[in-house]
Amino acid sequence: MGVVSPGFRGRPRESSRRLPPGQYETHDFPVLSAGPTPRIAREDWEFTVTTETGDRHSWNWAELTALPSENPTVDLHCVTKWSKFDTRWQGVSLDVLLAEVETAADYVMVSSYGGYTTGMPLEDLLHGQAWIAYGYDGDDIPPEHGGPARLLVPHLYFWKSAKWVHGIQLLPQDEPGFWESLGYHDYGDPWREQRYQGD
Amino acid sequence: MARAAVPRRLGTRLRWQVATLVERRAENEGASTLVLDVPDWPGHLAGQHVDVRLTAEDGYSAQRSYSLASAPDARHVEITVQRVGDGEVSAYLVDGLAVGDPMELRGPVGGWFVWSAGQADRVLLLGGGSGVVPLMAMIRARRAAADPTPFRLLHSVRSPADRYYLPELRRGDPGLTTEFLYTRTSPDGRSRPPGRIRQEDITGFAWPPETSPMCYVCGPTGFVETAADLLTGLGHDPDHIRTERFGPSGG
């Protein structure tokens, strides 16, 4: 237990089994980005998976949205402490997008329009855990929340769910992306409170 | 988006440290600066933040992140906290924590929204409300380093009573220009009608995009989205615009 601050009581204790350590629930949808919001027209949008041998698999907007989609309802956990429950998305499972991709790689680097990057194990994108999402709460994803399409990988801290997603590079080893290079944890499991390097 | 010129790894675990409140200064009706004694503070860069952890007697704890307000080499660590409506942490920090009381913090955290001396030829700071806090750390760092880089601060607040750091900003610094925008109530004699930030507010105050100023934009999401869009619309390079947004939910 930490050092007690006299007179601090906090909120009434809810049964917070859904809340990872150090998080609090919010009903807003805060926005966190390192720079201006890029605006990408759907007709210009493209998503590319590149393997470690250089094979490329690309989808434009029509191709992506023609694929079978899912409607996951998930909890989000941001490293800045807020969690938001029961967010409703529409998107294509990475299991679908990666089904035909041949690779021996164990890691990925996800990159976005605007230059953002984030890295993680390939396993974390598979088995129904991750989507390329293009719908939020019954509507398009607003640009400030990553539209037209973003990665959704809700079992990791939300910085892994790259906004304005543009591509995935398969890699034989883990490499740090944008926030991982700036002191944030390589993996980012909210339930183990892996916020920063060394956590 | 370029890589930041700061150390790549923190290397060791960021440990929780006990901080003691030395002084509390009211900045305005809703915000106070907490002056903290942190014996093993490792130093920081202007623009970084800390995680604060409060623990109640029954072991319940709550964490939040706050921007550092103090210059990197200041004797004490300072954060400025705005009281958020039902904020369980902010209300306690602004009204409850007494001089001599302990709390925990760890940091510094964040290596992107930072400025250090010599990093850019010109620096434009756009702050909305308490988003001025990390920008003030940059102004203080510039002063402490006697750095001559021209700085311009445009601070958007609801009314004159909502300004931060007023005596210090009034004293001013050579090479620093400060201007306020009022969104709801302007002081008498101002020709600009109250309202949110507009293109002419930036063109009338900022350097032109061709001079490539480094732009730091911090505030509530709506302010940052608008201000950053205005900057890119005017032709500022997105790679020269660094943003830090905080939602209305803070707490």
Side-chain angles (χ1 to χ4, degrees):
Chain A
M1 177 168 140
V3 173
V4 171
S5 292
F8 175 69
R9 278 183 292 278
R11 290 215 174 97
R13 318 294 185 257
E14 300 148 21
S15 81
S16 55
R17 249 173 300 169
R18 293 174 73 179
L19 214 48
Q23 297 292 109
Y24 65 92
E25 187 187 357
T26 179
H27 298 280
D28 305 313
F29 194 169
V31 170
L32 281 125
S33 318
T37 296
R39 315 276 156 174
I40 305 106
R42 288 172 171 187
E43 52 270 31
D44 299 330
W45 185 89
E46 190 181 55
F47 175 71
T48 303
V49 174
T50 310
T51 70
E52 71 279 19
T53 58
D55 284 344
R56 290 164 57 87
H57 305 254
S58 289
W59 295 264
N60 63 25
W61 188 260
E63 290 164 342
L64 177 84
T65 52
L67 291 170
S69 69
E70 296 177 5
N71 292 283
T73 297
V74 297
D75 296 348
L76 309 177
H77 308 295
C78 178
V79 71
T80 64
K81 318 285 162 35
W82 59 264
S83 291
K84 184 173 174 62
F85 296 151
D86 298 322
T87 61
R88 301 187 305 127
W89 301 84
Q90 181 182 12
V92 178
S93 168
L94 264 301
D95 292 322
V96 173
L97 293 162
L98 295 173
E100 304 300 319
V101 174
E102 251 184 66
T103 182
D106 288 327
Y107 295 91
V108 299
M109 180 65 75
V110 182
S111 58
S112 299
Y113 288 95
Y116 180 77
T117 55
T118 185
M120 68 200 79
L122 174 59
E123 271 298 297
D124 287 86
L125 293 184
L126 302 173
H127 319 302
Q129 298 183 93
W131 298 265
I132 299 298
Y134 52 80
Y136 173 70
D137 211 14
D139 211 334
D140 297 339
I141 303 179
E144 67 269 27
H145 287 302
R150 73 179 298 164
L151 178 65
L152 179 65
V153 48
H155 68 287
L156 301 177
Y157 279 125
F158 206 38
W159 89 79
K160 299 283 184 180
S161 294
K163 297 176 184 179
W164 317 298
V165 68
H166 189 24
I168 291 178
Q169 169 76 52
L170 293 151
L171 296 170
Q173 71 288 319
D174 198 12
E175 288 186 18
F178 181 79
W179 287 122
E180 295 91 4
S181 299
L182 290 167
Y184 287 79
H185 199 274
D186 285 331
Y187 186 63
D189 180 352
W191 295 96
R192 286 184 280 169
E193 208 171 355
Q194 294 172 333
R195 298 181 194 277
Y196 312 121
Q197 294 287 335
D199 276 359
Chain B
M1 195 180 280
R3 285 280 169 110
V6 292
R8 252 194 85 250
R9 289 297 164 103
L10 295 178
T12 51
R13 188 185 154 86
L14 284 171
R15 286 178 307 110
W16 288 103
Q17 302 187 58
V18 178
T20 309
L21 184 67
V22 175
E23 183 193 346
R24 186 196 346 250
R25 278 196 307 268
E27 296 295 345
N28 54 46
E29 201 185 313
S32 286
T33 292
L34 307 186
V35 182
L36 300 163
D37 181 41
V38 190
D40 293 323
W41 185 247
H44 61 271
L45 298 171
Q48 288 190 293
H49 64 268
V50 289
D51 284 2
V52 167
R53 180 166 73 184
L54 298 177
T55 302
E57 277 182 19
D58 66 354
Y60 171 85
S61 73
Q63 293 185 31
R64 297 293 186 276
S65 297
Y66 291 104
S67 286
L68 290 153
S70 42
D73 57 349
R75 187 158 153 259
H76 290 119
V77 172
E78 296 184 16
I79 57 175
T80 302
V81 179
Q82 182 190 18
R83 194 191 302 108
V84 177
D86 63 341
E88 62 169 342
V89 171
S90 64
Y92 175 80
L93 291 178
V94 174
D95 302 318
L97 189 74
V99 168
D101 281 348
M103 58 182 233
E104 287 178 292
L105 58 78
R106 68 171 182 156
V109 179
W112 176 246
F113 195 84
V114 294
W115 175 83
S116 17
Q119 198 176 308
D121 292 339
R122 311 173 172 73
V123 174
L124 175 66
L125 307 173
L126 300 181
S130 62
V132 73
V133 176
L135 310 181
M136 194 64 195
M138 296 178 189
I139 290 170
R140 289 169 170 166
R142 174 184 179 274
R143 184 188 310 141
D147 183 275
T149 308
F151 267 40
R152 291 183 184 173
L153 167 68
L154 188 58
H155 187 196
S156 169
V157 288
R158 275 182 299 188
S159 72
D162 295 305
R163 290 177 289 191
Y164 289 71
Y165 314 118
L166 199 54
E168 192 175 337
L169 287 174
R170 277 209 174 119
R171 274 198 303 277
D173 290 284
L176 165 69
T177 309
T178 300
E179 188 156 329
F180 295 97
L181 287 183
Y182 301 97
T183 59
R184 291 204 194 148
T185 316
S186 287
D188 295 341
R190 289 269 297 207
S191 57
R192 181 190 182 276
R196 292 172 189 272
I197 189 165
R198 298 183 281 261
Q199 185 175 305
E200 56 267 33
D201 296 324
I202 295 182
T203 49
F205 182 75
W207 292 280
E210 305 80 64
T211 63
S212 301
M214 196 66 193
C215 308
Y216 295 89
V217 188
C218 183
T221 297
F223 172 83
V224 174
E225 283 296 313
T226 305
D229 285 352
L230 288 171
L231 286 170
T232 53
L234 287 167
H236 289 268
D237 181 351
D239 277 346
H240 281 87
I241 304 170
R242 297 190 180 189
T243 63
E244 188 139 285
R245 301 158 165 89
F246 49 85
S249 61

